[in-house]
Amino acid sequence: MKAIGDSSFQQLVGSGAMACLVALLSPAASAAPAALPAEVTALVERHGACTHWLGEPGEGDAERRRDIEWGMCQSCPGTDARLAELKKKYRGDPAVMAVLQPLDPQVEPMGKDEAKRFCATARKPEWAK
């Protein structure tokens, strides 16, 4: 997914259009063996959480949209860079690459600076306390 501007981001979150753009983790990733390095497993889980929040509908419900935004701010920032790092680190390990390769390399909905500004205003919902 390409980086988008502030106003476009708000419209995208509220429109439900993200559901059409977000791919679920591949069967290979979801069936990851326990022998994978912990950092790989952690990224797969975080990437999955990011795609989950990006696909959540929030139109017409301001409270739900705030929950979604908070979830995205907890899981999405840094996933693209971390995926690239792990692909480079484990490029010679076929088992790890079979899990990492299917992941979307551009899942973050905005650039680093924009995400920092946006997430600075996200509040922790009651259910997450």
Side-chain angles (χ1 to χ4, degrees):
M1 184 178 307
K2 303 286 185 225
I4 55 178
D6 288 82
S7 61
S8 297
F9 177 74
Q10 290 296 340
Q11 291 172 347
L12 197 54
V13 168
S15 72
M18 291 302 287
C20 296
L21 300 175
V22 177
L24 296 174
L25 289 174
S26 73
S30 62
L36 290 173
E39 63 186 348
V40 172
T41 302
L43 175 70
V44 169
E45 290 172 3
R46 193 163 158 222
H47 192 282
C50 179
T51 58
H52 166 79
W53 286 113
L54 289 170
E56 282 289 306
E59 60 278 343
D61 184 347
E63 182 69 20
R64 181 66 181 144
R65 189 169 45 253
R66 285 190 296 271
D67 291 349
I68 293 166
E69 290 169 355
W70 182 84
M72 289 171 29
C73 288
Q74 298 305 300
S75 58
C76 294
T79 50
D80 294 348
R82 187 66 176 145
L83 177 59
E85 289 170 8
L86 293 178
K87 280 183 175 181
K88 184 176 180 180
K89 180 177 181 177
Y90 292 102
R91 66 182 170 263
D93 186 328
V96 171
M97 290 305 292
V99 171
L100 296 178
Q101 202 59 40
L103 299 179
D104 184 348
Q106 293 183 323
V107 72
E108 293 179 69
M110 60 188 92
K112 185 177 180 180
D113 292 336
E114 183 180 345
K116 192 176 203 178
R117 283 191 306 275
F118 177 79
C119 292
T121 63
R123 58 105 183 111
K124 189 174 188 175
E126 284 297 317
W127 55 262
K129 292 181 180 176

PDB file of all heavy atoms in Angstrom, residues 1 4-21 53-61 65 68-69 72 109-110 114 118:
ATOM      1  N   MET A   1       0.837  -1.157   0.000  1.00  0.00           N
ATOM      2  CA  MET A   1       0.000   0.000   0.000  1.00  0.00           C
ATOM      3  C   MET A   1       0.891   1.232   0.000  1.00  0.00           C
ATOM      4  O   MET A   1       1.867   1.295   0.719  1.00  0.00           O
ATOM      5  CB  MET A   1      -0.882  -0.010   1.248  1.00  0.00           C
ATOM      6  CG  MET A   1      -1.850   1.113   1.291  1.00  0.00           C
ATOM      7  SD  MET A   1      -2.884   1.009   2.760  1.00  0.00           S
ATOM      8  CE  MET A   1      -3.475  -0.654   2.589  1.00  0.00           C
ATOM      9  N   ILE A   4      -0.258   7.713   1.998  1.00  0.00           N
ATOM     10  CA  ILE A   4      -1.332   8.616   1.622  1.00  0.00           C
ATOM     11  C   ILE A   4      -1.349   9.813   2.550  1.00  0.00           C
ATOM     12  O   ILE A   4      -0.805   9.762   3.641  1.00  0.00           O
ATOM     13  CB  ILE A   4      -2.699   7.910   1.647  1.00  0.00           C
ATOM     14  CG1 ILE A   4      -2.946   7.267   3.007  1.00  0.00           C
ATOM     15  CG2 ILE A   4      -2.808   6.885   0.555  1.00  0.00           C
ATOM     16  CD1 ILE A   4      -4.271   6.585   3.135  1.00  0.00           C
ATOM     17  N   GLY A   5      -1.983  10.890   2.140  1.00  0.00           N
ATOM     18  CA  GLY A   5      -2.032  12.116   2.924  1.00  0.00           C
ATOM     19  C   GLY A   5      -3.048  12.051   4.040  1.00  0.00           C
ATOM     20  O   GLY A   5      -3.886  11.176   4.091  1.00  0.00           O
ATOM     21  N   ASP A   6      -2.972  13.047   4.958  1.00  0.00           N
ATOM     22  CA  ASP A   6      -3.832  13.082   6.135  1.00  0.00           C
ATOM     23  C   ASP A   6      -5.305  13.003   5.781  1.00  0.00           C
ATOM     24  O   ASP A   6      -6.033  12.184   6.315  1.00  0.00           O
ATOM     25  CB  ASP A   6      -3.590  14.369   6.935  1.00  0.00           C
ATOM     26  CG  ASP A   6      -2.258  14.350   7.637  1.00  0.00           C
ATOM     27  OD1 ASP A   6      -1.248  14.663   6.988  1.00  0.00           O
ATOM     28  OD2 ASP A   6      -2.238  14.011   8.817  1.00  0.00           O
ATOM     29  N   SER A   7      -5.796  13.867   4.895  1.00  0.00           N
ATOM     30  CA  SER A   7      -7.222  13.880   4.593  1.00  0.00           C
ATOM     31  C   SER A   7      -7.636  12.595   3.885  1.00  0.00           C
ATOM     32  O   SER A   7      -8.702  12.056   4.153  1.00  0.00           O
ATOM     33  CB  SER A   7      -7.585  15.097   3.741  1.00  0.00           C
ATOM     34  OG  SER A   7      -6.896  15.049   2.513  1.00  0.00           O
ATOM     35  N   SER A   8      -6.813  12.099   3.011  1.00  0.00           N
ATOM     36  CA  SER A   8      -7.114  10.841   2.335  1.00  0.00           C
ATOM     37  C   SER A   8      -7.160   9.697   3.324  1.00  0.00           C
ATOM     38  O   SER A   8      -7.986   8.805   3.215  1.00  0.00           O
ATOM     39  CB  SER A   8      -6.063  10.527   1.271  1.00  0.00           C
ATOM     40  OG  SER A   8      -6.069  11.497   0.280  1.00  0.00           O
ATOM     41  N   PHE A   9      -6.270   9.730   4.310  1.00  0.00           N
ATOM     42  CA  PHE A   9      -6.235   8.667   5.304  1.00  0.00           C
ATOM     43  C   PHE A   9      -7.541   8.619   6.084  1.00  0.00           C
ATOM     44  O   PHE A   9      -8.116   7.569   6.271  1.00  0.00           O
ATOM     45  CB  PHE A   9      -5.057   8.859   6.259  1.00  0.00           C
ATOM     46  CG  PHE A   9      -5.031   7.830   7.339  1.00  0.00           C
ATOM     47  CD1 PHE A   9      -4.640   6.539   7.058  1.00  0.00           C
ATOM     48  CD2 PHE A   9      -5.426   8.137   8.621  1.00  0.00           C
ATOM     49  CE1 PHE A   9      -4.637   5.575   8.038  1.00  0.00           C
ATOM     50  CE2 PHE A   9      -5.429   7.181   9.605  1.00  0.00           C
ATOM     51  CZ  PHE A   9      -5.027   5.901   9.312  1.00  0.00           C
ATOM     52  N   GLN A  10      -8.019   9.774   6.535  1.00  0.00           N
ATOM     53  CA  GLN A  10      -9.268   9.817   7.287  1.00  0.00           C
ATOM     54  C   GLN A  10     -10.419   9.270   6.447  1.00  0.00           C
ATOM     55  O   GLN A  10     -11.249   8.522   6.938  1.00  0.00           O
ATOM     56  CB  GLN A  10      -9.579  11.246   7.746  1.00  0.00           C
ATOM     57  CG  GLN A  10      -8.645  11.752   8.815  1.00  0.00           C
ATOM     58  CD  GLN A  10      -8.746  10.968  10.109  1.00  0.00           C
ATOM     59  OE1 GLN A  10      -9.734  10.294  10.365  1.00  0.00           O
ATOM     60  NE2 GLN A  10      -7.714  11.030  10.918  1.00  0.00           N
ATOM     61  N   GLN A  11     -10.471   9.651   5.172  1.00  0.00           N
ATOM     62  CA  GLN A  11     -11.528   9.167   4.299  1.00  0.00           C
ATOM     63  C   GLN A  11     -11.415   7.667   4.093  1.00  0.00           C
ATOM     64  O   GLN A  11     -12.418   6.951   4.086  1.00  0.00           O
ATOM     65  CB  GLN A  11     -11.469   9.875   2.942  1.00  0.00           C
ATOM     66  CG  GLN A  11     -11.849  11.320   3.019  1.00  0.00           C
ATOM     67  CD  GLN A  11     -11.591  12.033   1.706  1.00  0.00           C
ATOM     68  OE1 GLN A  11     -10.923  11.513   0.814  1.00  0.00           O
ATOM     69  NE2 GLN A  11     -12.117  13.241   1.587  1.00  0.00           N
ATOM     70  N   LEU A  12     -10.196   7.168   3.941  1.00  0.00           N
ATOM     71  CA  LEU A  12      -9.977   5.756   3.702  1.00  0.00           C
ATOM     72  C   LEU A  12     -10.381   4.924   4.911  1.00  0.00           C
ATOM     73  O   LEU A  12     -11.044   3.907   4.781  1.00  0.00           O
ATOM     74  CB  LEU A  12      -8.500   5.511   3.365  1.00  0.00           C
ATOM     75  CG  LEU A  12      -8.139   4.204   2.714  1.00  0.00           C
ATOM     76  CD1 LEU A  12      -8.953   3.965   1.463  1.00  0.00           C
ATOM     77  CD2 LEU A  12      -6.672   4.190   2.385  1.00  0.00           C
ATOM     78  N   VAL A  13     -10.026   5.389   6.115  1.00  0.00           N
ATOM     79  CA  VAL A  13     -10.393   4.666   7.323  1.00  0.00           C
ATOM     80  C   VAL A  13     -11.903   4.614   7.462  1.00  0.00           C
ATOM     81  O   VAL A  13     -12.483   3.584   7.755  1.00  0.00           O
ATOM     82  CB  VAL A  13      -9.753   5.315   8.578  1.00  0.00           C
ATOM     83  CG1 VAL A  13     -10.376   4.752   9.843  1.00  0.00           C
ATOM     84  CG2 VAL A  13      -8.264   5.076   8.581  1.00  0.00           C
ATOM     85  N   GLY A  14     -12.560   5.748   7.217  1.00  0.00           N
ATOM     86  CA  GLY A  14     -13.997   5.825   7.395  1.00  0.00           C
ATOM     87  C   GLY A  14     -14.793   5.186   6.281  1.00  0.00           C
ATOM     88  O   GLY A  14     -15.954   4.837   6.457  1.00  0.00           O
ATOM     89  N   SER A  15     -14.216   4.984   5.123  1.00  0.00           N
ATOM     90  CA  SER A  15     -14.977   4.518   3.970  1.00  0.00           C
ATOM     91  C   SER A  15     -15.176   3.013   3.915  1.00  0.00           C
ATOM     92  O   SER A  15     -16.048   2.519   3.226  1.00  0.00           O
ATOM     93  CB  SER A  15     -14.284   4.948   2.680  1.00  0.00           C
ATOM     94  OG  SER A  15     -13.112   4.179   2.489  1.00  0.00           O
ATOM     95  N   GLY A  16     -14.349   2.256   4.606  1.00  0.00           N
ATOM     96  CA  GLY A  16     -14.429   0.806   4.515  1.00  0.00           C
ATOM     97  C   GLY A  16     -13.716   0.275   3.283  1.00  0.00           C
ATOM     98  O   GLY A  16     -13.682  -0.920   3.049  1.00  0.00           O
ATOM     99  N   ALA A  17     -13.136   1.167   2.466  1.00  0.00           N
ATOM    100  CA  ALA A  17     -12.452   0.749   1.249  1.00  0.00           C
ATOM    101  C   ALA A  17     -11.224  -0.098   1.552  1.00  0.00           C
ATOM    102  O   ALA A  17     -10.788  -0.880   0.718  1.00  0.00           O
ATOM    103  CB  ALA A  17     -12.034   1.970   0.422  1.00  0.00           C
ATOM    104  N   MET A  18     -10.679   0.046   2.754  1.00  0.00           N
ATOM    105  CA  MET A  18      -9.487  -0.713   3.112  1.00  0.00           C
ATOM    106  C   MET A  18      -9.753  -2.213   3.044  1.00  0.00           C
ATOM    107  O   MET A  18      -8.864  -2.987   2.729  1.00  0.00           O
ATOM    108  CB  MET A  18      -9.026  -0.348   4.524  1.00  0.00           C
ATOM    109  CG  MET A  18      -8.472   1.051   4.631  1.00  0.00           C
ATOM    110  SD  MET A  18      -7.093   1.328   3.525  1.00  0.00           S
ATOM    111  CE  MET A  18      -5.849   0.386   4.344  1.00  0.00           C
ATOM    112  N   ALA A  19     -10.970  -2.626   3.357  1.00  0.00           N
ATOM    113  CA  ALA A  19     -11.277  -4.057   3.356  1.00  0.00           C
ATOM    114  C   ALA A  19     -11.006  -4.683   1.998  1.00  0.00           C
ATOM    115  O   ALA A  19     -10.609  -5.837   1.909  1.00  0.00           O
ATOM    116  CB  ALA A  19     -12.731  -4.287   3.760  1.00  0.00           C
ATOM    117  N   CYS A  20     -11.206  -3.917   0.949  1.00  0.00           N
ATOM    118  CA  CYS A  20     -10.967  -4.431  -0.402  1.00  0.00           C
ATOM    119  C   CYS A  20      -9.480  -4.486  -0.724  1.00  0.00           C
ATOM    120  O   CYS A  20      -9.065  -5.236  -1.596  1.00  0.00           O
ATOM    121  CB  CYS A  20     -11.674  -3.551  -1.427  1.00  0.00           C
ATOM    122  SG  CYS A  20     -13.460  -3.576  -1.255  1.00  0.00           S
ATOM    123  N   LEU A  21      -8.675  -3.687  -0.034  1.00  0.00           N
ATOM    124  CA  LEU A  21      -7.258  -3.578  -0.354  1.00  0.00           C
ATOM    125  C   LEU A  21      -6.367  -4.472   0.495  1.00  0.00           C
ATOM    126  O   LEU A  21      -5.213  -4.691   0.169  1.00  0.00           O
ATOM    127  CB  LEU A  21      -6.806  -2.126  -0.175  1.00  0.00           C
ATOM    128  CG  LEU A  21      -7.517  -1.090  -1.029  1.00  0.00           C
ATOM    129  CD1 LEU A  21      -7.062   0.299  -0.653  1.00  0.00           C
ATOM    130  CD2 LEU A  21      -7.273  -1.351  -2.495  1.00  0.00           C
ATOM    131  N   TRP A  53      -6.668  -4.399  11.410  1.00  0.00           N
ATOM    132  CA  TRP A  53      -7.219  -3.072  11.729  1.00  0.00           C
ATOM    133  C   TRP A  53      -7.510  -2.276  10.470  1.00  0.00           C
ATOM    134  O   TRP A  53      -8.498  -1.541  10.410  1.00  0.00           O
ATOM    135  CB  TRP A  53      -6.275  -2.307  12.653  1.00  0.00           C
ATOM    136  CG  TRP A  53      -6.301  -2.824  14.051  1.00  0.00           C
ATOM    137  CD1 TRP A  53      -5.291  -3.457  14.710  1.00  0.00           C
ATOM    138  CD2 TRP A  53      -7.400  -2.783  14.965  1.00  0.00           C
ATOM    139  NE1 TRP A  53      -5.701  -3.812  15.970  1.00  0.00           N
ATOM    140  CE2 TRP A  53      -6.990  -3.397  16.149  1.00  0.00           C
ATOM    141  CE3 TRP A  53      -8.703  -2.288  14.888  1.00  0.00           C
ATOM    142  CZ2 TRP A  53      -7.826  -3.528  17.263  1.00  0.00           C
ATOM    143  CZ3 TRP A  53      -9.538  -2.410  15.998  1.00  0.00           C
ATOM    144  CH2 TRP A  53      -9.097  -3.027  17.161  1.00  0.00           C
ATOM    145  N   LEU A  54      -6.668  -2.407   9.464  1.00  0.00           N
ATOM    146  CA  LEU A  54      -6.901  -1.678   8.211  1.00  0.00           C
ATOM    147  C   LEU A  54      -8.175  -2.138   7.522  1.00  0.00           C
ATOM    148  O   LEU A  54      -8.813  -1.375   6.805  1.00  0.00           O
ATOM    149  CB  LEU A  54      -5.711  -1.844   7.267  1.00  0.00           C
ATOM    150  CG  LEU A  54      -4.442  -1.111   7.691  1.00  0.00           C
ATOM    151  CD1 LEU A  54      -3.273  -1.539   6.813  1.00  0.00           C
ATOM    152  CD2 LEU A  54      -4.634   0.383   7.636  1.00  0.00           C
ATOM    153  N   GLY A  55      -8.571  -3.376   7.742  1.00  0.00           N
ATOM    154  CA  GLY A  55      -9.761  -3.912   7.097  1.00  0.00           C
ATOM    155  C   GLY A  55     -11.042  -3.760   7.904  1.00  0.00           C
ATOM    156  O   GLY A  55     -12.118  -4.131   7.442  1.00  0.00           O
ATOM    157  N   GLU A  56     -10.941  -3.231   9.117  1.00  0.00           N
ATOM    158  CA  GLU A  56     -12.124  -3.076   9.964  1.00  0.00           C
ATOM    159  C   GLU A  56     -13.006  -1.937   9.470  1.00  0.00           C
ATOM    160  O   GLU A  56     -12.516  -0.842   9.209  1.00  0.00           O
ATOM    161  CB  GLU A  56     -11.711  -2.775  11.414  1.00  0.00           C
ATOM    162  CG  GLU A  56     -11.253  -3.980  12.177  1.00  0.00           C
ATOM    163  CD  GLU A  56     -12.382  -4.933  12.503  1.00  0.00           C
ATOM    164  OE1 GLU A  56     -13.388  -4.517  13.089  1.00  0.00           O
ATOM    165  OE2 GLU A  56     -12.239  -6.114  12.149  1.00  0.00           O
ATOM    166  N   PRO A  57     -14.314  -2.173   9.367  1.00  0.00           N
ATOM    167  CA  PRO A  57     -15.215  -1.087   8.983  1.00  0.00           C
ATOM    168  C   PRO A  57     -15.434  -0.131  10.154  1.00  0.00           C
ATOM    169  O   PRO A  57     -15.555  -0.566  11.291  1.00  0.00           O
ATOM    170  CB  PRO A  57     -16.513  -1.810   8.618  1.00  0.00           C
ATOM    171  CG  PRO A  57     -16.457  -3.091   9.386  1.00  0.00           C
ATOM    172  CD  PRO A  57     -14.994  -3.448   9.514  1.00  0.00           C
ATOM    173  N   GLY A  58     -15.441   1.151   9.881  1.00  0.00           N
ATOM    174  CA  GLY A  58     -15.637   2.130  10.943  1.00  0.00           C
ATOM    175  C   GLY A  58     -16.537   3.274  10.529  1.00  0.00           C
ATOM    176  O   GLY A  58     -16.754   4.203  11.290  1.00  0.00           O
ATOM    177  N   GLU A  59     -17.084   3.184   9.319  1.00  0.00           N
ATOM    178  CA  GLU A  59     -17.916   4.271   8.823  1.00  0.00           C
ATOM    179  C   GLU A  59     -19.181   4.419   9.668  1.00  0.00           C
ATOM    180  O   GLU A  59     -19.792   3.435  10.072  1.00  0.00           O
ATOM    181  CB  GLU A  59     -18.276   4.095   7.347  1.00  0.00           C
ATOM    182  CG  GLU A  59     -19.042   2.842   7.008  1.00  0.00           C
ATOM    183  CD  GLU A  59     -18.209   1.591   6.840  1.00  0.00           C
ATOM    184  OE1 GLU A  59     -16.977   1.675   6.674  1.00  0.00           O
ATOM    185  OE2 GLU A  59     -18.793   0.512   6.898  1.00  0.00           O
ATOM    186  N   GLY A  60     -19.533   5.665   9.949  1.00  0.00           N
ATOM    187  CA  GLY A  60     -20.754   5.950  10.684  1.00  0.00           C
ATOM    188  C   GLY A  60     -20.655   5.752  12.186  1.00  0.00           C
ATOM    189  O   GLY A  60     -21.631   5.953  12.896  1.00  0.00           O
ATOM    190  N   ASP A  61     -19.525   5.349  12.702  1.00  0.00           N
ATOM    191  CA  ASP A  61     -19.374   5.120  14.134  1.00  0.00           C
ATOM    192  C   ASP A  61     -18.045   5.731  14.581  1.00  0.00           C
ATOM    193  O   ASP A  61     -16.989   5.119  14.436  1.00  0.00           O
ATOM    194  CB  ASP A  61     -19.411   3.616  14.413  1.00  0.00           C
ATOM    195  CG  ASP A  61     -19.358   3.276  15.891  1.00  0.00           C
ATOM    196  OD1 ASP A  61     -19.041   4.153  16.723  1.00  0.00           O
ATOM    197  OD2 ASP A  61     -19.644   2.104  16.222  1.00  0.00           O
ATOM    198  N   ARG A  65     -14.302   4.061  14.922  1.00  0.00           N
ATOM    199  CA  ARG A  65     -13.216   4.581  14.089  1.00  0.00           C
ATOM    200  C   ARG A  65     -12.010   4.946  14.964  1.00  0.00           C
ATOM    201  O   ARG A  65     -10.871   4.664  14.613  1.00  0.00           O
ATOM    202  CB  ARG A  65     -13.691   5.778  13.276  1.00  0.00           C
ATOM    203  CG  ARG A  65     -12.674   6.215  12.239  1.00  0.00           C
ATOM    204  CD  ARG A  65     -13.193   7.222  11.239  1.00  0.00           C
ATOM    205  NE  ARG A  65     -13.962   8.308  11.819  1.00  0.00           N
ATOM    206  CZ  ARG A  65     -15.286   8.462  11.729  1.00  0.00           C
ATOM    207  NH1 ARG A  65     -16.007   7.563  11.088  1.00  0.00           N
ATOM    208  NH2 ARG A  65     -15.888   9.490  12.275  1.00  0.00           N
ATOM    209  N   ILE A  68     -10.250   1.755  15.894  1.00  0.00           N
ATOM    210  CA  ILE A  68      -9.492   1.258  14.741  1.00  0.00           C
ATOM    211  C   ILE A  68      -8.202   2.051  14.577  1.00  0.00           C
ATOM    212  O   ILE A  68      -7.123   1.470  14.373  1.00  0.00           O
ATOM    213  CB  ILE A  68     -10.354   1.322  13.459  1.00  0.00           C
ATOM    214  CG1 ILE A  68     -11.515   0.319  13.563  1.00  0.00           C
ATOM    215  CG2 ILE A  68      -9.515   1.070  12.210  1.00  0.00           C
ATOM    216  CD1 ILE A  68     -12.606   0.525  12.529  1.00  0.00           C
ATOM    217  N   GLU A  69      -8.294   3.351  14.687  1.00  0.00           N
ATOM    218  CA  GLU A  69      -7.107   4.196  14.550  1.00  0.00           C
ATOM    219  C   GLU A  69      -6.071   3.854  15.621  1.00  0.00           C
ATOM    220  O   GLU A  69      -4.876   3.762  15.339  1.00  0.00           O
ATOM    221  CB  GLU A  69      -7.503   5.667  14.610  1.00  0.00           C
ATOM    222  CG  GLU A  69      -8.280   6.097  13.381  1.00  0.00           C
ATOM    223  CD  GLU A  69      -8.910   7.471  13.509  1.00  0.00           C
ATOM    224  OE1 GLU A  69      -8.844   8.090  14.603  1.00  0.00           O
ATOM    225  OE2 GLU A  69      -9.494   7.934  12.511  1.00  0.00           O
ATOM    226  N   MET A  72      -4.433   0.549  14.728  1.00  0.00           N
ATOM    227  CA  MET A  72      -3.476   0.741  13.635  1.00  0.00           C
ATOM    228  C   MET A  72      -2.191   1.361  14.156  1.00  0.00           C
ATOM    229  O   MET A  72      -1.095   0.954  13.757  1.00  0.00           O
ATOM    230  CB  MET A  72      -4.090   1.622  12.547  1.00  0.00           C
ATOM    231  CG  MET A  72      -5.170   0.918  11.765  1.00  0.00           C
ATOM    232  SD  MET A  72      -6.111   1.975  10.630  1.00  0.00           S
ATOM    233  CE  MET A  72      -4.993   3.229  10.176  1.00  0.00           C
ATOM    234  N   PRO A 109      -0.266   2.400   6.139  1.00  0.00           N
ATOM    235  CA  PRO A 109      -1.122   3.304   5.375  1.00  0.00           C
ATOM    236  C   PRO A 109      -0.570   4.712   5.196  1.00  0.00           C
ATOM    237  O   PRO A 109      -1.170   5.511   4.504  1.00  0.00           O
ATOM    238  CB  PRO A 109      -2.417   3.343   6.194  1.00  0.00           C
ATOM    239  CG  PRO A 109      -1.972   3.088   7.579  1.00  0.00           C
ATOM    240  CD  PRO A 109      -0.805   2.136   7.465  1.00  0.00           C
ATOM    241  N   MET A 110       0.554   5.047   5.818  1.00  0.00           N
ATOM    242  CA  MET A 110       1.094   6.400   5.710  1.00  0.00           C
ATOM    243  C   MET A 110       2.591   6.385   5.966  1.00  0.00           C
ATOM    244  O   MET A 110       3.121   5.411   6.462  1.00  0.00           O
ATOM    245  CB  MET A 110       0.384   7.326   6.695  1.00  0.00           C
ATOM    246  CG  MET A 110       0.531   6.915   8.143  1.00  0.00           C
ATOM    247  SD  MET A 110      -0.479   7.878   9.268  1.00  0.00           S
ATOM    248  CE  MET A 110      -1.946   6.877   9.322  1.00  0.00           C
ATOM    249  N   GLU A 114       4.063  11.216   8.998  1.00  0.00           N
ATOM    250  CA  GLU A 114       2.611  11.351   9.073  1.00  0.00           C
ATOM    251  C   GLU A 114       2.043  10.415  10.145  1.00  0.00           C
ATOM    252  O   GLU A 114       1.160  10.805  10.921  1.00  0.00           O
ATOM    253  CB  GLU A 114       1.978  11.049   7.722  1.00  0.00           C
ATOM    254  CG  GLU A 114       0.478  11.240   7.714  1.00  0.00           C
ATOM    255  CD  GLU A 114      -0.146  10.935   6.367  1.00  0.00           C
ATOM    256  OE1 GLU A 114       0.573  10.848   5.359  1.00  0.00           O
ATOM    257  OE2 GLU A 114      -1.367  10.776   6.338  1.00  0.00           O
ATOM    258  N   PHE A 118      -0.169  11.523  13.341  1.00  0.00           N
ATOM    259  CA  PHE A 118      -1.501  10.946  13.465  1.00  0.00           C
ATOM    260  C   PHE A 118      -1.637  10.161  14.765  1.00  0.00           C
ATOM    261  O   PHE A 118      -2.610  10.304  15.506  1.00  0.00           O
ATOM    262  CB  PHE A 118      -1.790  10.046  12.259  1.00  0.00           C
ATOM    263  CG  PHE A 118      -3.113   9.355  12.330  1.00  0.00           C
ATOM    264  CD1 PHE A 118      -4.285  10.032  12.008  1.00  0.00           C
ATOM    265  CD2 PHE A 118      -3.199   8.037  12.733  1.00  0.00           C
ATOM    266  CE1 PHE A 118      -5.511   9.396  12.079  1.00  0.00           C
ATOM    267  CE2 PHE A 118      -4.421   7.393  12.814  1.00  0.00           C
ATOM    268  CZ  PHE A 118      -5.574   8.082  12.483  1.00  0.00           C
TER     269      PHE A 118
END
